[in-house]
Amino acid sequence: MNATETLRQAFQLFEQEHYAAAEQALFGLLDAEPGNAQALHLLGSVAAAQGRHEEAAVALQRALQVLPQDARDTLAVRYKLGRAFYELGRFEDAFLLYRDLIESGHRLPELFIAAAAALQALSPSGKNDEHAIALLDEALQLQPDAADTWHRKALLLERGKRWEAARASMHRALQLDGQRAVYWLDAGLAEHALGEFEEALKFYDQALIFDPDYVDAHVSRGTSLARLRQYEEAIESYRRTLYLAPDEADAKVNLALSLLVLGRFQEALPLYEWRWEGRGADPYRHESIPAWNGASPLRGKRILLWAEQGHGDTIQFSRYVEQIVGAGAQVVFEVPASLLPLMASLPSWASFELIAMGEAVPAVDYQLPLMSLPLVCNTHYDEIPAPVPYLGADDARRQEWAARIDGLAPRGAGRLRVGVVCSGNPGNVNDRRRSIALSQFAPLAQARGDLDFFVLQPDLRQEDAAWLKAHEAWYDLGEGIRDFADTAAALSCMDLLVTVDTAAAHLAGALGMPVWIALPFAPDWRWFLGRHDSPWYPAARLFRQQRAGEWGDVMLTIKAALAVSAPQRR
C-alpha cells in the first residue's frame, strides 16, 4: 500500500474515531517515511482528539520541521500546535504562536479567538482582558454573525463588571442563536448584576426550557428570587438544584442564606458550613489543625478562633469568644491587624491571646472559623447571645477624639452629634445595593436645628468628599481614623450613628450606642425581615427600603425619626 492510500485510510479511521487503528497505520507509514509531514500532522490530530496533548505537540512540531514555510498545511499545523500548547497550560507559547500567524497576514476569525483565549488564560485576574476583547472585536469584524464570539466577549465584559456592554453582547448572541441554554443563563446574570432581577428571571426560565436540569440556572434563579424577597420560591429553586446535584455547594450556601434571613437557624447553619466549597469561595485557612466539633470538652484545651469574611463579621461574631473562654478553653484569637486594638477591649481579653493574620500561630489543639460558632454553640433565632456592650473605646483615644471633634464643632448647649457612614468597601459584591451617595443624607439636616453631622470613614469616595466640603455643619473625621479602635473612639463621642450596612453598624451595635441602619430591600441575612429592631444589637433601629434601589423614602423616614425621637445627648 502506498503512502497516499495509507494516509487516506488513516484519515477515514480518524473520522470514525477508530484512533488506535489510525495510529497503527500512521506509525507504520512513519517507520518507512519518518519525514512524512502529512502523517505527522494527522498523528498530532489523532493524539489531540484523545487528550494526549503532549504527544500531539511533539508530532505537530516535527511536522513543522519538515514542512516548507509556504506549504499549504503549515497554517493548519501551527494553529493545532497552538491548541495543544493551550491545553497543556502553555498559554504564553500559544499566544505567541497565534500572534505570529496574525502578524504574518493570516486574518482568520479563529486565530483572533484563539489568541484572545490564550491571552485571557495568561492572566486570570483580568489584566489582559481589554486586549482580549480587542482581539474578539477583530474576529467579529471578519465574522459578525458568530454567536459564540459575542458570548465570549460578553463573559469578558462581565468579568470587568461592564454590565451594560455585557448585556448588549449577550443579546446579540441570542439574536444569532437562541437555542443554547448557556446564552440565556449568562444574559440573566448580566440582568441580575444590573439589579433587574425580574428580567433576569425571564432569562433563567428560558434557559430551563432548553435544559430543565441546568443546575446553574436553578441556582441563579434562586439568587434573583432572593433579591426580590421571594425567599420561599428561592428555597424551592435551591432544593430543586440539590435534587439534581446533591453536592452543589453554591446551592447549599444560598439555601442557607435564604433560611437564615427567615430565622430558620436549625436548618440553615449546617448548610452554611458549605461556604468553603463553592465557586469563588474563600480559602479555608488552618486546615491542618483539627476543627473543633462543638462536642469535645474544651476545658484545658487550646483553640484558635480565626476571623473570616469582612471586618463587620468579625466584630459581630467576636461575641462568641466570651462563650468559648467561659467553657474553659485557652483561646488564641486571630484577626486582621486593623482590628487588634479594638478586640483587646473584649471583656475577657486578658484570658486569651490576640494575634494578627499573617503572624505565626502558636500550638493549639483545635481551630474554628469565627462564623461557625453559631452552629457549634447551638444558636437559635430567639436565643442570640447579645450581652452589649461587649466592645469598648480606649479612654486615651476617646479623649483625643473628643478634643479633635470639639475643635471642629464645639459642643453647643443641647446640640446633638450624629455620626454618618454612607458607604462600605467598594469591592464588596453587595456594594451597589448597600452604599448610598452622601448627598442623599442631606435631608437629615432639616429634621431639627440642633444637629451636627460627622462623617466617620477614612475611605470617602471622591464625589462624597466633594459634597462634604461644600456643606456646613457636616464635618469630615475620616482623615484621622487609623484603625477600628479609632473609629470606636470617635463613635463614643457621638450621640447617634446613622449608617448603611457596613462594619461601622456592627461596631456601634457592639459598643451599645444608638445606631440607625439603612437597609436595602433584600437585606443581609443577619437583619432578618420585617422587624425594626435587631436581636444582635438592642440599641439598633432598622430602616428598610420598600422598593429596591429607592433610598429617598428611607432618608425621609430617618429624618422624621430624628425630628421626634432622636436619642438623648450622651
Side-chain angles (χ1 to χ4, degrees):
M1 188 182 299
N2 61 34
T4 301
E5 181 61 21
T6 301
L7 282 168
R8 187 191 65 78
Q9 289 191 5
F11 184 74
Q12 188 176 44
L13 290 166
F14 168 62
E15 287 192 316
Q16 294 169 352
E17 299 185 7
H18 298 321
Y19 299 129
E23 285 179 335
Q24 185 176 6
L26 291 168
F27 284 139
L29 176 55
L30 287 168
D31 282 341
E33 300 181 22
N36 189 305
Q38 289 179 296
L40 291 166
H41 180 183
L42 184 53
L43 184 63
S45 298
V46 173
Q50 298 173 85
R52 290 161 28 207
H53 300 292
E54 190 73 54
E55 295 175 38
V58 170
L60 293 167
Q61 285 172 312
R62 285 178 59 197
L64 286 175
Q65 289 171 357
V66 297
L67 274 171
Q69 286 286 334
D70 57 352
R72 185 177 60 179
D73 286 353
T74 300
L75 174 60
V77 173
R78 294 179 72 187
Y79 175 74
K80 291 176 183 177
L81 178 59
R83 292 285 299 273
F85 285 158
Y86 182 92
E87 295 296 338
L88 290 167
R90 294 171 58 180
F91 304 125
E92 185 174 5
D93 289 335
F95 172 71
L96 292 174
L97 194 154
Y98 294 134
R99 188 191 66 181
D100 288 346
L101 287 172
I102 292 167
E103 290 181 348
S104 64
H106 296 287
R107 293 187 56 80
L108 300 173
E110 57 266 35
L111 292 178
F112 288 103
I113 293 167
L119 193 60
Q120 180 185 350
L122 268 173
S123 179
S125 66
K127 181 180 68 174
N128 295 326
D129 282 3
E130 285 304 313
H131 189 182
I133 289 170
L135 288 165
L136 292 177
D137 284 337
E138 293 276 4
L140 288 168
Q141 287 183 14
L142 297 165
Q143 193 177 21
D145 59 349
D148 186 64
T149 309
W150 286 105
H151 180 230
R152 288 171 181 267
K153 181 180 177 180
L155 295 181
L156 285 173
L157 291 166
E158 286 184 3
R159 190 161 79 163
K161 303 189 187 311
R162 294 166 57 184
W163 299 108
E164 293 283 2
R167 169 198 269 168
S169 285
M170 278 312 314
H171 285 194
R172 182 62 180 139
L174 285 169
Q175 288 170 359
L176 293 165
D177 181 359
Q179 305 299 307
R180 297 189 61 185
V182 67
Y183 290 2
W184 291 101
L185 170 65
D186 288 332
L189 294 175
E191 298 296 333
H192 180 96
L194 287 164
E196 301 293 339
F197 305 122
E198 291 183 354
E199 195 67 21
L201 288 174
K202 296 176 185 177
F203 287 96
Y204 300 144
D205 288 344
Q206 193 67 35
L208 290 168
I209 288 173
F210 287 106
D211 185 355
D213 295 341
Y214 196 175
V215 165
D216 287 350
H218 284 291
V219 174
S220 299
R221 185 174 184 274
T223 304
S224 290
L225 286 165
R227 289 286 186 262
L228 293 166
R229 289 202 318 215
Q230 297 176 26
Y231 291 106
E232 292 296 347
E233 293 89 342
I235 288 168
E236 184 180 341
S237 280
Y238 299 138
R239 294 201 190 282
R240 173 62 180 167
T241 304
L242 293 172
Y243 173 78
L244 296 168
D247 292 329
E248 174 57 42
D250 287 328
K252 291 189 177 186
V253 173
N254 284 317
L255 174 58
L257 293 174
S258 286
L259 292 168
L260 283 168
V261 79
L262 298 175
R264 291 157 63 176
F265 277 32
Q266 301 311 105
E267 295 175 76
L269 291 174
L271 290 165
Y272 193 54
E273 291 303 296
W274 283 79
R275 66 190 180 277
W276 306 106
E277 306 298 329
R279 280 161 284 189
D282 292 332
Y284 189 96
R285 297 182 290 116
H286 309 299
E287 61 183 352
S288 62
I289 304 170
W292 183 51
N293 59 15
S296 303
L298 283 177
R299 186 162 300 279
K301 298 293 184 180
R302 206 172 195 199
I303 184 171
L304 170 69
L305 302 178
W306 49 275
E308 55 167 304
Q309 300 186 39
H311 291 91
D313 302 288
T314 303
I315 292 167
Q316 181 181 7
F317 292 97
S318 65
R319 71 185 66 217
Y320 284 92
V321 174
E322 302 300 302
Q323 291 187 245
I324 304 304
V325 171
Q330 302 171 36
V331 172
V332 178
F333 190 19
E334 182 197 57
V335 299
S338 58
L339 284 173
L340 274 177
L342 176 66
M343 290 300 152
S345 70
L346 282 164
S348 59
W349 74 271
S351 302
F352 62 83
E353 181 179 352
L354 268 173
I355 62 172
M357 285 182 180
E359 291 183 7
V361 176
V364 294
D365 300 293
Y366 302 114
Q367 58 82 19
L368 204 67
L370 203 58
M371 294 179 71
S372 291
L373 285 167
L375 173 64
V376 298
C377 293
N378 197 27
T379 302
H380 293 252
Y381 173 69
D382 54 356
E383 296 177 0
I384 291 173
V388 294
Y390 58 88
L391 293 175
D394 176 78
D395 286 339
R397 293 204 198 202
R398 189 185 191 284
Q399 291 175 19
E400 291 176 8
W401 276 99
R404 183 177 302 176
I405 292 167
D406 285 340
L408 289 171
R411 174 76 89 166
R415 294 193 69 79
L416 293 173
R417 289 174 169 171
V418 180
V420 172
V421 175
C422 66
S423 60
N425 176 6
N428 187 289
V429 294
N430 289 321
D431 182 68
R432 183 187 181 105
R433 296 190 305 115
R434 69 172 184 172
S435 291
I436 308 173
L438 183 58
S439 59
Q440 293 203 50
F441 286 77
L444 305 189
Q446 302 165 11
R448 49 199 290 175
D450 58 353
L451 303 175
D452 292 310
F453 294 89
F454 299 85
V455 179
L456 297 102
Q457 51 190 104
D459 53 352
L460 199 61
R461 300 177 190 186
Q462 186 174 357
E463 60 273 21
D464 295 328
W467 185 91
L468 183 56
K469 287 181 180 179
H471 289 78
E472 295 182 359
W474 289 77
Y475 303 97
D476 184 4
L477 299 183
E479 186 175 341
I481 294 176
R482 297 162 294 178
D483 56 26
F484 279 90
D486 272 327
T487 306
L491 281 173
S492 70
C493 300
M494 300 292 116
D495 300 300
L496 168 69
L497 174 66
V498 180
T499 178
V500 298
D501 178 12
T502 188
H506 295 284
L507 178 53
L511 293 169
M513 71 170 287
V515 53
W516 294 359
I517 307 168
L519 294 176
F521 179 75
D524 189 89
W525 68 265
R526 68 206 73 207
W527 306 117
F528 309 115
L529 291 177
R531 58 188 299 168
H532 299 288
D533 64 342
S534 169
W536 302 100
Y537 306 116
R541 287 183 64 181
L542 309 180
F543 296 80
R544 300 175 181 271
Q545 276 185 348
Q546 298 307 304
R547 289 177 294 172
E550 176 53 61
W551 290 112
D553 291 346
V554 175
M555 290 301 160
L556 288 176
T557 306
I558 295 175
K559 173 187 170 183
L562 270 175
V564 300
S565 61
Q568 297 297 310
R569 174 174 166 173
R570 287 161 66 89

